[in-house]
Amino acid sequence: ILEELVQLRAENANILGFDSHADYILAIRMAKDSATVRNFLDDLNAKLEPLCQTDLKKLLQYKKKECEDTGEEYDGVINMWDFRYYVDKMEAAEYNIDQEEIKEYFPIDVVTTNLLQIYQDLLGLTYEEVPLNEDGTAWHEDVSLFS
């Protein structure tokens, strides 16, 4: 169904004289064409790249210090699995942000229910919770699985 929708959108855009569905949508909105969006994104990227590099250097400093403190070997790389950990450390140290305190305002059961409801409404999907063990739980009491 999704592939057919994409194809029909492309055909509709072509009939109306546009190169793509994206160009059609942009023309009726504020950007007008995909080249304008591309230029905007390129400009934004050029402005944000130095900030990204600055933050990356900070993250590497946090990792280096932790490696020195724990006697671990420092590899000079922020791996994908390191990223959130060191971002949290940097936010706590430099901006006084406590992720655990923020979590208090977003209870997992409320967030999960509402997030799944949004996807159900947008995509016409239905989610049901799936128990994994005979006792109706997953491998840990905090884990939920939806199908």
Side-chain angles (χ1 to χ4, degrees):
I1 293 174
L2 190 56
E3 289 176 2
E4 184 178 348
L5 175 65
V6 170
Q7 181 182 353
L8 289 172
R9 284 179 164 183
E11 289 174 14
N12 184 43
N14 290 334
I15 290 169
L16 294 172
F18 296 95
D19 291 334
S20 67
H21 178 70
D23 283 335
Y24 165 69
I25 292 298
L26 292 169
I28 64 173
R29 296 188 180 158
M30 65 184 211
K32 301 299 181 206
D33 60 42
S34 57
T36 303
V37 173
R38 172 55 53 203
N39 290 337
F40 169 76
L41 292 174
D42 289 344
D43 182 54
L44 184 61
N45 185 56
K47 291 176 181 174
L48 293 177
E49 184 63 26
L51 299 173
C52 178
Q53 292 304 316
T54 300
D55 282 352
L56 181 58
K57 288 176 185 174
K58 287 180 184 179
L59 295 177
L60 287 168
Q61 289 171 353
Y62 280 99
K63 183 174 182 177
K64 184 176 184 179
K65 181 177 180 341
E66 183 166 329
C67 288
E68 290 168 355
D69 292 347
T70 61
E72 298 281 329
E73 183 178 335
Y74 174 66
D75 62 3
V77 175
I78 296 294
N79 297 298
M80 183 175 58
W81 52 88
D82 294 330
F83 181 75
R84 188 73 250 163
Y85 175 76
Y86 289 109
V87 166
D88 287 350
K89 289 182 85 60
M90 182 178 74
E91 288 174 346
E94 296 185 19
Y95 308 111
N96 199 27
I97 295 175
D98 181 357
Q99 292 296 332
E100 293 305 314
E101 189 174 329
I102 291 172
K103 286 179 187 178
E104 293 175 19
Y105 294 96
F106 300 96
I108 191 69
D109 56 332
V110 174
V111 172
T112 302
T113 300
N114 288 306
L115 187 60
L116 292 176
Q117 187 62 51
I118 289 169
Y119 281 106
Q120 289 180 141
D121 293 346
L122 284 175
L123 304 174
L125 301 174
T126 303
Y127 291 98
E128 295 179 13
E129 191 163 2
V130 178
L132 297 180
N133 294 331
E134 299 82 36
D135 64 356
T137 63
W139 58 90
H140 188 273
E141 63 188 28
D142 292 340
V143 174
S144 298
L145 176 67
F146 294 87
S147 170

